[in-house]
Amino acid sequence: MLKLKRIAIDTHRESIAYLSRACPHYRVDEFQALGKIEVRAAGGSCLLATINIVDDAALLAPDELGLSEEAFRVFGLLPESRVRIAHPKPVESLDALRRKIEGHELDDAEYTAVICDIAASRYSKMEVAAFLVGCAGFMTVEEVLRLTRAMANVGQRLDWGDRLVVDKHCIGGIPGNRTSMIVVPLVMAHGLTIPKTSSRAITSPAGTADTMEVLARVDISTEEMRAIVDRIGGCLVWGGRVNLSPADDVMITVERPLGIDTREQMVASILSKKLTAGSRHLVLDIPVGPSAKVRSQNDAVRLRKLFEYVGGKIGLSLDIRLTDGSQPIGRGIGPVLEARDVMAVLRNEPMAPADLRERALLLAGALIEADEAVKGGQGIHRARALLESGAGLQAMERIIEAQGSNLGPDGIIPAASSKCHEVAAQHSGLVNGIDCLRIARVARMAGAPAFKDAGVDLLKKIGDPVRQGEPLYRIHAGLDADLGFAAELAMQDSGFTINGMPGHGA
Amino acid sequence: MLKLKRIAIDTHRESIAYLSRACPHYRVDEFQALGKIEVRAAGGSCLLATINIVDDAALLAPDELGLSEEAFRVFGLLPESRVRIAHPKPVESLDALRRKIEGHELDDAEYTAVICDIAASRYSKMEVAAFLVGCAGFMTVEEVLRLTRAMANVGQRLDWGDRLVVDKHCIGGIPGNRTSMIVVPLVMAHGLTIPKTSSRAITSPAGTADTMEVLARVDISTEEMRAIVDRIGGCLVWGGRVNLSPADDVMITVERPLGIDTREQMVASILSKKLTAGSRHLVLDIPVGPSAKVRSQNDAVRLRKLFEYVGGKIGLSLDIRLTDGSQPIGRGIGPVLEARDVMAVLRNEPMAPADLRERALLLAGALIEADEAVKGGQGIHRARALLESGAGLQAMERIIEAQGSNLGPDGIIPAASSKCHEVAAQHSGLVNGIDCLRIARVARMAGAPAFKDAGVDLLKKIGDPVRQGEPLYRIHAGLDADLGFAAELAMQDSGFTINGMPGHGA
C-alpha cells in the first residue's frame, strides 16, 4: 500500500497522480503507458487520475502516492491515508465516445453517461477534447437535446417556487455588448426575478462577469446568490462558482485553448444552464454581422431554430432576437471602459452610447412582456420609463450593495489606464466597417481582461466621417510592452474600413 | 526573469512548466486560463509548455520556473538559466486544426505545419486528440497522402545505398500472429536487407517487439541498428528508439488511451515509417475476419486501395495480402508463449503450429520475389527450403547474438507462468469460431505483455472437435489476482463458438 501525499500543484481541473519510479510495489512504466490509474482507499472510495512519474525522492518517496490539488480535493481523504492503485476499470462511457468519433448517433443513456463522467473529472483533457471534436463532426438535433438534458441533470438545480423567473443571454462575439448590466436592473425594477449568472472572458477582452467585477464582487456562492435574489430580485454574478453546469465548466477548459465554438455545444451549454438556473422565460440575443459569431441571416435562422427546438422540448419559453452585429456596441471595450458606458446609460448621461441603450431597452422590453399584465409592444416603453426615472440606476445600486461594492467610498469608476496610444485614420472618408474580431484582439493584446483598466475606446463608429490623421480609437494598456504590441497590431490592420478600403493604423 | 529548475516529473511526452502562484513577476492565473505559456531564454530559444501552478515553496520558489523532464530535455538549457515567460504566440497550425474540426480539407502546407508542431511537442495532448478525432471525422485520400508525406518528412530517414531493402508489416489485430520473427530471418537468409522495426503492444497482449524481447534486446538506437543491419542484413528491433516517425510517437500516446484506430491514421503511420526506414518493397498482411480489425472483404479491398494509392504516390512497391483473420494464429498468445511457437517453427519441430509456419512462408516468399533473380511463384518454395535447411534458424541466431541475447547461457526460452487455469468447453461439438478480441482481452487481463510469461495457450482451433469439459485453452497469469480476473472473464464468455453456440467457460 502507498501513503497518500498532497502535492501542491494546481493542474487546472485535471486529476493527476504522482508515482515514484522507484515504487517497489507496482510496475510504474506499465501504468504510464495506459495513461491513467485508479486510486482506491480502504473505505472504498475511488479516483481516476492521469499518472505522472516522479524521479525525485524529496518530492515523493517510493512508497508515496501524490495527488494534485484538484485530485486531492475530489478524492477527499486525509494525507498519509493508505491507498492502493490499479489499472482503472475502463470508463464505460468511453465506448460511447468512440462511437461518436466513428460518426454514430448517441442515445440518452450514452449522453448521460459521458456527461456524468466529464462532470466527475473521470475524463482526461484529451478525452474531453475527443468528445467535443467528435460532436463537432456530426450531431443530430435530437442529440443536442439529449446533450442539453444530460448537462442540466448533472447541475445543481435552483428552485424559485412560484416566482416569475426570467433570464437574458447573448451568444457573444460583439465587443462592448454589455446589455445584461442594464437589462437586469430594469427587469428587477419592473418586479420580475432575474438571477443572472455570466461568464468571464474566454477569448474576448471582457465577459460580463469581468466588467461587473469593476463595480462589485461577482465570485459568489450559490447560497449567497439565493439570498441576494430573495432579497432584491436579481443579481449579476459570475457563473463559475454557482455550479449550474459542472460538465460545462470542465468542457470550457478544453474549448477555450482549442478555440472550439460549435452551435451544438453553444445551444446545449446555454440552455442547460438556464434550465438549472430555474428560468422559464429567456430572451436570447443573436448578433449577426460580417465579423460576428453568426455571419449570415441564413445561419442565424438555423441557429434560432435549433435553440427553439431544444428550448421547446425542455419547457423554456424563448424569445430570440437577431440583432445588428456589424460593429462593437458602445464605445468602451475592456472591463473598466465598458463599466463606464453601462453606468453612463443607467445615469441617463447625455454622452451615453445610444446603441448600447437602445439594444438594452429592446431586450429588457422583451423580458418585461413575460409579465402577463404588460400588453404586447408595451415592454420597451415600460423599460424606457424605468431607465429615465432612475429606477434602473437604483436597482443597479442595490445589486452593487448586495454583492459587495468594488468601488471606493466615493463610488467613482476607476479610470482607464494612462498608458495609451491613439490609432488614426490613414485616409479621409466615411467609416463603413469595423471588424469586431480585430478590435477584440487589439484590446486583448493591450491586456484586457487581465488588466481591468486595459482595452480599446472607440472614437468613431460606422457612418461617422473621419479626416486623415484623426483618431479612430484609443488603446489603453496594462503594461508598456503590451501597449507596443497592441499598437503594432493596430498598425498592421486597424480593423476599420473607410470608404470601402481596409485601413492600416497611422 | 525566472530561474530555470528541472522538476523530476515524467509527464509522458507532454511539456509541462511549473510556476509558483506567488510569482511576483507575472499574473499566474491569467497564464493558466490560456493553458500554455512560452518560455524564452536569453539565447533566443523558445519552448511551449502547458502550465501547472505550484503552491509549495519547497518544490518551487516564487522566482523559479520549473520544467518537467520532457520539457527540460526539449528545451536543452542548464538549470538556473534565466528565462522569461510570455503568452505564447498562437501555434499557427492550430488554425489548420480548427479548419479540420470544421470539416475542411487541408492542403500539404497545413499537414506539414500540424505534423511539425506535433513532432516538436508544441501541441498539448488535447490538441493532438482534437487533430486525430478531426481526421477520423473526414479525410480525403489526397489528405491521407499529405499526412503520410508530412509524417515521413519529420522523421529521421535511413539511407541504405544500393541495397535491396524490403519490409513486411501486418496491420495487427490477430493474437499470436508473429510471422515477422520468421519472415525476417528467412529473407535475410536469402540475402535481402530487412531492417525491421516493430511496435510494442498498444491494446493487444503482445507486439512483435514485446515477443522478440523474450529472445533478445530490442531497445536499440538508430546507430546500433545500422551497424547490425550492415553486418548481418537484418534486425528485429523496437521502433520506439529509432525515431522514424516522431509525430507518430506522440500521436500514439493519445491514440492508445482513446482507442482511436482509423484506416487513415493506420495508412499514414505505417507507410510514413516504411518510407523513412528506406524500404522500397513492402509486403503487407491484412487479416480479414469477424473479430479482426478488418471485418469484411469489402472493407479489406477499400483499405488495400488506400494503401496502394498512397504507397504508389510515395514510390513504395506494395504487395498486399488479404489473409484469413478468422482466429488467432499459432497456439501461444503473450510474449513467452509466442516466442515458443516462433522458435518451434524455425527449429522445424513436429509440433510447431502449421498455420503460423504457412503464413510466414507465404509472406517471406512474396518478399523474396522482390529479388529479380527469383521467378514468379518460386518465392515460397525458396522460403520453405531456407526454413527446412535450418538457414532461417541460423539467421535468427545471428539476430539474437547481434542485438544481445536475453536468454540464459543455455539458450532456453523461459516457461510460461505456472499460475494457470484451464478453460473447458461447456458442451461437445466442433469449434467453429474463436473471437480474437475476447481471447486478447483474457490474455491481457492475465498480465500480458507486462508479464512476459502471462497469456493464453490455445489447445483447440477452428475445426477441432471437443468434448464437454475438455480444455479449450490455458490461461497463464503474472499474478494470482490477475489469474482470477482473467478466469472470470473467460467464464462469462470463453470466446469460443462450438456448434454455432457461443460458449461460456466451464
Side-chain angles (χ1 to χ4, degrees):
Chain A
M1 291 191 100
L2 300 171
K3 262 192 311 189
L4 197 63
K5 180 175 181 181
R6 176 171 172 268
I7 303 288
I9 296 181
D10 171 356
T11 51
H12 204 210
R13 299 206 64 120
E14 183 158 14
S15 288
I16 304 278
Y18 300 91
L19 194 58
S20 166
R21 200 182 302 277
C23 173
H25 308 305
Y26 298 97
R27 295 175 63 105
V28 172
D29 289 349
E30 174 65 9
F31 279 109
Q32 187 177 39
L34 292 172
K36 274 196 198 164
I37 59 168
E38 189 172 285
V39 185
R40 294 181 190 157
S45 53
C46 264
L47 175 84
L48 260 190
T50 300
I51 187 167
N52 278 190
I53 295 181
V54 175
D55 288 296
D56 177 354
L59 175 52
L60 196 76
D63 65 340
E64 287 179 325
L65 177 89
L67 288 182
S68 65
E69 286 177 350
E70 168 77 1
F72 194 82
R73 189 184 65 72
V74 169
F75 201 34
L77 286 193
L78 291 176
E80 311 236 334
S81 299
R82 299 285 157 163
V83 296
R84 292 177 195 281
I85 62 172
H87 290 292
K89 287 198 205 75
V91 175
E92 278 184 28
S93 72
L94 289 177
D95 285 340
L97 165 58
R98 278 185 279 268
R99 278 179 26 81
K100 188 74 238 166
I101 294 172
E102 285 163 11
H104 297 281
E105 182 170 346
L106 303 187
D107 64 19
D108 267 323
E110 288 174 311
Y111 276 107
T112 300
V114 169
I115 291 301
C116 282
D117 285 335
I118 289 177
S121 297
R122 281 192 285 264
Y123 272 36
S124 68
K125 288 204 177 180
M126 71 180 160
E127 287 161 346
V128 174
F131 175 67
L132 291 169
V133 176
C135 287
F138 161 70
M139 245 182 137
T140 65
V141 291
E142 284 298 323
E143 285 185 277
V144 180
L145 173 60
R146 289 169 198 149
L147 175 63
T148 305
R149 283 197 174 125
M151 287 170 70
N153 286 339
V154 295
Q156 178 181 357
R157 203 169 288 222
L158 302 180
D159 181 358
W160 303 98
D162 294 337
R163 273 193 273 182
L164 184 54
V165 176
V166 300
D167 209 340
K168 174 262 161 198
H169 196 90
C170 175
I171 66 160
I174 305 298
N177 196 9
R178 283 301 143 249
T179 53
S180 291
M181 289 172 63
I182 302 166
V183 170
V184 169
L186 292 176
V187 167
M188 280 168 61
H190 179 72
L192 301 181
T193 300
I194 183 161
K196 178 90 183 94
T197 62
S198 303
S199 54
R200 295 191 184 274
I202 297 181
T203 52
S204 72
T208 293
D210 300 308
T211 299
M212 185 64 200
E213 201 172 30
V214 172
L215 307 179
R217 209 163 49 90
V218 296
D219 188 354
I220 278 173
S221 70
T222 314
E223 295 67 37
E224 193 178 351
M225 171 179 155
R226 273 217 71 103
I228 292 170
V229 174
D230 281 342
R231 183 153 66 86
I232 66 171
C235 65
L236 277 159
V237 306
W238 175 47
R241 277 281 298 282
V242 182
N243 208 26
L244 290 175
S245 188
D248 203 49
D249 292 347
V250 174
M251 289 194 280
I252 217 163
T253 67
V254 172
E255 287 167 356
R256 182 185 309 214
L258 284 180
I260 296 178
D261 197 2
T262 66
R263 260 125 243 256
E264 291 81 3
Q265 288 295 336
M266 181 196 292
V267 169
S269 165
I270 292 172
L271 295 187
S272 65
K273 281 187 195 162
K274 299 308 170 190
L275 194 60
T276 50
S279 307
R280 307 315 306 161
H281 292 264
L282 173 65
V283 168
L284 189 68
D285 177 9
I286 301 183
V288 186
S291 58
K293 281 192 185 172
V294 177
R295 305 267 162 117
S296 73
Q297 197 64 19
N298 203 22
D299 286 351
V301 170
R302 277 180 50 217
L303 181 58
R304 195 185 72 193
K305 283 179 193 288
L306 185 58
F307 268 113
E308 285 169 347
Y309 176 80
V310 177
K313 291 281 185 182
I314 62 173
L316 197 59
S317 147
L318 268 175
D319 183 352
I320 299 179
R321 303 296 173 113
L322 307 187
T323 58
D324 174 17
S326 61
Q327 61 176 336
I329 303 285
R331 300 193 176 284
I333 293 151
V336 156
L337 290 159
E338 293 171 6
R340 177 203 66 190
D341 283 0
V342 163
M343 293 309 287
V345 170
L346 286 171
R347 287 174 180 148
N348 294 299
E349 291 176 7
M351 295 295 287
D355 57 349
L356 177 62
R357 182 182 62 230
E358 294 307 316
R359 178 73 54 94
L361 289 174
L362 176 81
L363 300 172
L367 273 183
I368 287 172
E369 291 187 13
D371 177 358
E372 287 180 7
V374 178
K375 278 196 196 138
Q378 293 302 305
I380 190 164
H381 302 305
R382 170 74 173 148
R384 194 180 304 277
L386 290 167
L387 178 67
E388 290 176 354
S389 71
L393 178 61
Q394 285 159 23
M396 178 56 113
E397 285 165 350
R398 285 198 297 277
I399 297 174
I400 294 173
E401 180 271 326
Q403 295 185 193
S405 176
N406 275 342
L407 301 173
D410 52 7
I412 293 173
I413 298 169
S417 163
S418 59
K419 297 182 181 71
C420 64
H421 170 85
E422 286 189 345
V423 176
Q426 256 198 338
H427 53 271
S428 303
L430 270 188
V431 176
N432 38 32
I434 303 180
D435 182 337
C436 290
L437 293 173
R438 190 73 188 174
I439 297 295
R441 222 178 127 198
V442 171
R444 246 190 113 85
M445 189 63 86
F451 293 87
K452 294 254 184 237
D453 60 352
V456 163
D457 206 11
L458 297 173
L459 306 172
K460 299 288 175 191
K461 300 286 287 274
I462 289 177
D464 287 347
V466 293
R467 286 187 314 278
Q468 185 181 5
E470 201 181 356
L472 299 170
Y473 55 88
R474 199 178 291 124
I475 302 170
H476 296 267
L479 302 170
D480 286 326
D482 292 342
L483 187 63
F485 292 139
E488 196 184 322
L489 203 63
M491 182 73 86
Q492 289 158 19
D493 173 0
S494 67
F496 272 62
T497 306
I498 298 169
N499 281 1
M501 290 158 63
H504 304 281
Chain B
M1 290 191 102
L2 300 171
K3 262 192 309 188
L4 197 62
K5 180 174 182 182
R6 176 170 172 269
I7 304 288
I9 296 180
D10 172 356
T11 51
H12 204 210
R13 300 206 64 122
E14 181 156 15
S15 288
I16 304 279
Y18 300 91
L19 194 58
S20 165
R21 200 184 301 276
C23 173
H25 308 304
Y26 297 97
R27 294 177 63 106
V28 172
D29 289 348
E30 173 65 8
F31 279 108
Q32 186 177 37
L34 292 172
K36 275 198 199 164
I37 59 169
E38 189 172 285
V39 185
R40 293 180 189 159
S45 54
C46 264
L47 174 83
L48 260 190
T50 299
I51 187 167
N52 278 190
I53 296 181
V54 175
D55 289 295
D56 176 356
L59 174 53
L60 196 77
D63 65 339
E64 287 179 325
L65 177 89
L67 288 182
S68 65
E69 287 177 350
E70 168 77 1
F72 194 82
R73 189 185 65 71
V74 170
F75 201 35
L77 285 193
L78 291 175
E80 311 237 335
S81 298
R82 298 285 157 163
V83 296
R84 291 178 195 280
I85 61 172
H87 290 291
K89 286 198 205 77
V91 175
E92 278 183 29
S93 72
L94 288 178
D95 286 340
L97 166 58
R98 278 184 278 268
R99 276 177 29 80
K100 188 74 236 166
I101 294 172
E102 287 162 13
H104 298 282
E105 182 170 347
L106 303 187
D107 63 19
D108 267 323
E110 288 173 312
Y111 276 107
T112 300
V114 169
I115 292 301
C116 282
D117 285 334
I118 288 176
S121 297
R122 281 191 285 264
Y123 272 37
S124 67
K125 289 207 174 177
M126 72 180 158
E127 287 161 347
V128 174
F131 175 67
L132 291 169
V133 176
C135 287
F138 162 71
M139 246 183 137
T140 64
V141 291
E142 284 298 323
E143 285 186 278
V144 180
L145 173 59
R146 290 169 196 147
L147 176 63
T148 306
R149 284 196 174 124
M151 286 170 71
N153 286 339
V154 295
Q156 177 182 356
R157 204 169 289 221
L158 302 180
D159 182 358
W160 303 99
D162 294 337
R163 275 193 274 182
L164 183 55
V165 176
V166 300
D167 209 340
K168 174 264 160 195
H169 196 91
C170 175
I171 67 160
I174 306 297
N177 196 8
R178 284 300 145 251
T179 53
S180 290
M181 289 172 64
I182 303 165
V183 170
V184 169
L186 292 177
V187 167
M188 281 168 61
H190 179 74
L192 301 181
T193 299
I194 182 160
K196 177 87 184 94
T197 63
S198 303
S199 54
R200 295 190 184 275
I202 297 181
T203 52
S204 71
T208 294
D210 300 307
T211 299
M212 185 63 200
E213 202 171 32
V214 172
L215 307 179
R217 208 162 49 89
V218 296
D219 187 356
I220 279 173
S221 70
T222 314
E223 296 67 35
E224 194 179 353
M225 169 179 155
R226 274 217 70 103
I228 292 171
V229 175
D230 280 342
R231 184 152 66 85
I232 65 170
C235 64
L236 277 159
V237 306
W238 175 47
R241 279 280 298 283
V242 181
N243 208 27
L244 290 175
S245 188
D248 204 47
D249 293 346
V250 174
M251 289 193 281
I252 218 164
T253 67
V254 172
E255 288 167 354
R256 181 186 308 213
L258 284 181
I260 297 177
D261 196 2
T262 66
R263 261 122 243 256
E264 292 81 4
Q265 288 295 336
M266 181 198 290
V267 169
S269 165
I270 292 172
L271 295 186
S272 65
K273 281 187 193 160
K274 300 307 170 191
L275 195 61
T276 51
S279 307
R280 306 317 304 160
H281 293 265
L282 173 66
V283 168
L284 190 68
D285 177 9
I286 301 183
V288 186
S291 58
K293 280 191 184 172
V294 178
R295 307 265 162 120
S296 72
Q297 197 65 16
N298 202 23
D299 286 352
V301 170
R302 278 179 50 216
L303 180 59
R304 193 186 74 194
K305 283 178 192 289
L306 185 58
F307 268 113
E308 285 169 348
Y309 176 82
V310 177
K313 291 281 184 180
I314 63 173
L316 196 59
S317 149
L318 266 177
D319 183 352
I320 298 179
R321 302 295 173 114
L322 307 187
T323 58
D324 174 16
S326 61
Q327 62 176 336
I329 303 285
R331 301 194 177 283
I333 291 149
V336 157
L337 290 160
E338 293 171 7
R340 177 203 65 190
D341 284 359
V342 163
M343 293 308 289
V345 170
L346 286 170
R347 288 175 179 147
N348 295 298
E349 292 176 7
M351 296 294 287
D355 57 347
L356 177 63
R357 181 183 63 229
E358 294 307 315
R359 178 75 54 93
L361 290 174
L362 174 83
L363 300 171
L367 274 182
I368 287 172
E369 291 188 13
D371 176 358
E372 288 180 8
V374 177
K375 279 198 195 137
Q378 293 301 306
I380 190 164
H381 303 304
R382 170 74 174 145
R384 195 179 304 276
L386 289 166
L387 178 68
E388 290 176 354
S389 72
L393 178 62
Q394 286 158 25
M396 177 56 112
E397 285 165 351
R398 286 198 298 279
I399 296 174
I400 293 173
E401 180 272 325
Q403 294 184 189
S405 175
N406 276 341
L407 301 174
D410 53 7
I412 294 174
I413 297 169
S417 165
S418 59
K419 297 183 180 71
C420 63
H421 170 86
E422 285 188 346
V423 176
Q426 256 198 336
H427 52 270
S428 303
L430 270 189
V431 176
N432 38 30
I434 303 180
D435 182 337
C436 291
L437 293 172
R438 190 72 188 176
I439 298 295
R441 223 179 127 197
V442 171
R444 245 191 115 85
M445 189 63 88
F451 292 87
K452 294 252 184 238
D453 59 353
V456 163
D457 205 11
L458 297 174
L459 306 173
K460 300 288 173 190
K461 301 286 287 272
I462 289 177
D464 287 347
V466 293
R467 285 188 314 278
Q468 186 182 4
E470 202 182 355
L472 299 169
Y473 54 88
R474 198 178 292 124
I475 302 169
H476 295 267
L479 301 170
D480 286 325
D482 292 343
L483 187 62
F485 293 139
E488 196 184 323
L489 203 63
M491 183 73 84
Q492 288 158 18
D493 174 1
S494 67
F496 272 60
T497 306
I498 298 171
N499 281 1
M501 289 158 64
H504 305 281

